[in-house]
Amino acid sequence: MTGTSLRTPLDVPTLDELRRRTSVKWRAFDPDVLPLFVAEMDVAPCEPVVDAVTAAMRAGDTGYDHGTVYGEAYARFAERRWGWSFDPSTTRTLPDVMVAIVEVLRVLTGPGDAVVVNPPVYPPFFGFVRNEGRRVVTAPLGADLRLDLDALERAFAEATGVADHGGGPRSGRRAVWLVCNPHNPTGTAHAPDELAAGLALAARYGVRVVADEIHAPITRPGLAGHPATTHTPLLTVPGSDDAVAVVSASKAFNLPGIKAAAAVGGPGAVADLRRIPEEASHGVHHVAVLAHVAALDHGDAWLDAVLAGVERNAWLLADLLAEHLPGVRYRPGEATYLAWLDCRDLAGPAGGSTVPDGARSPAADPRAWFLDRARVALEDGRRFGPGGEGHVRLNLATNVDVLTEAVVRIGASLAR
Ligand SMILES: Cc1ncc(COP(=O)(O)O)c(C=O)c1O
């Protein structure tokens, strides 16, 4: 086990304090349910954020946002964390990550064009893309939960209508590969060679590449001899000249309720970002930008402490599952605070009865079983598209007691 005595920002709020929160995590279910579903963290806030928001309110700095301060702060952060430098003056500040992705898709594709995604993947990728009148084409991750280049090539061919492109001129339909980097829900941190291979394939088919890098800062520091992991910014990879990355401090600093994001383009995408209409910036929340900038500029120590807590919890979860739920397959991911649990071999109690909503076995519908029998709320893997069947996603960003109780409760529900 890895340091359950470690104290991190995840260990500050008590369950009673958390239950006083009014966000979806704490209001969607009855109070007896342990909520480990939506991607909110059970952390005490980062002090520089509290100070920045308080100062803005005290100063009446509650007007409209201006300029590229978001991109400038993210550029400083990216340089420190990954050695990635880019020109912030070409970035676009946008209201949040999904709005930014939609705005970028609007300039890179037209109605009826395809967007390639890699399921199992963040469910709104399907809905937002379809709501814009674009087609979703899937290139599922491989059994190892990593990018599958053969599947990606088939998807690019289908998306562009170009069966075998060879090396000739591009003649297919416009299409985008929307890559989740790092990947929600599996926690896969795509490696430089994987991204480079995907970019090369995309170039061959004339597919533009857009990376959602909201989880980028959340990698493993490497506790107790475990290997550290890192994020590879897409725009640092060869072949990314006309790619776009959407970045945000929202996940890493637990700011989903005060949203902001920026779109960053490679040199060949700067003109595309300029084509995003001015109206797209109208929803930008200036105080949220100030909060994100404070986190990015002054939150490194806080973030490092949170990352230690997330990694501790990932190894703790592996131990707890081995003890209480040996039928669940789980390997701590390299990134994100999300755990992707394969429950397909989970056996229920002998002669297990049915539950009201039809979940006959924990393997067939683990989410319903865990909620009804254990009062633990997780995300249903099926929402993440093909490959999500028999899986659930668990949010690791909580304290040791909540995580332990959740697994113990689920274990007990299978023993009954
Ligand atoms: C991959 C990914 N993209 C986007 C979002 C949502 O970002 P926003 O609230 O800024 O739209 C999330 C939230 O969990 C996410 O996991």
Side-chain angles (χ1 to χ4, degrees), residues 83-104:
W84 171 29
S85 54
F86 58 84
D87 176 3
S89 71
T90 61
T91 60
R92 291 293 302 269
T93 310
L94 291 158
D96 67 25
V97 168
M98 290 315 299
V99 167
I101 288 171
V102 165
E103 292 297 340
V104 173

Side-chain angles (χ1 to χ4, degrees), residues 39 96-98 122 125 180 184 212 214-215 250-251 259:
D96 67 25
V97 168
M98 290 315 299
Y122 181 56
F125 277 18
C180 194
N184 171 3
D212 175 340
I214 193 172
H215 291 279
S250 169
K251 282 299 116 177
K259 293 153 155 259

Side-chain angles (χ1 to χ4, degrees), residues 392-408:
V392 285
R393 192 193 73 179
L394 179 149
N395 181 342
L396 290 163
T398 188
N399 64 53
V400 167
D401 293 343
V402 169
L403 185 61
T404 305
E405 184 175 343
V407 179
V408 169

Side-chain angles (χ1 to χ4, degrees), residues 180-184 187-190 212-219 231 335-336:
C180 194
N181 182 43
H183 196 90
N184 171 3
T188 311
H190 307 302
D212 175 340
E213 302 201 337
I214 193 172
H215 291 279
I218 313 166
T219 49
H231 161 69
T336 78

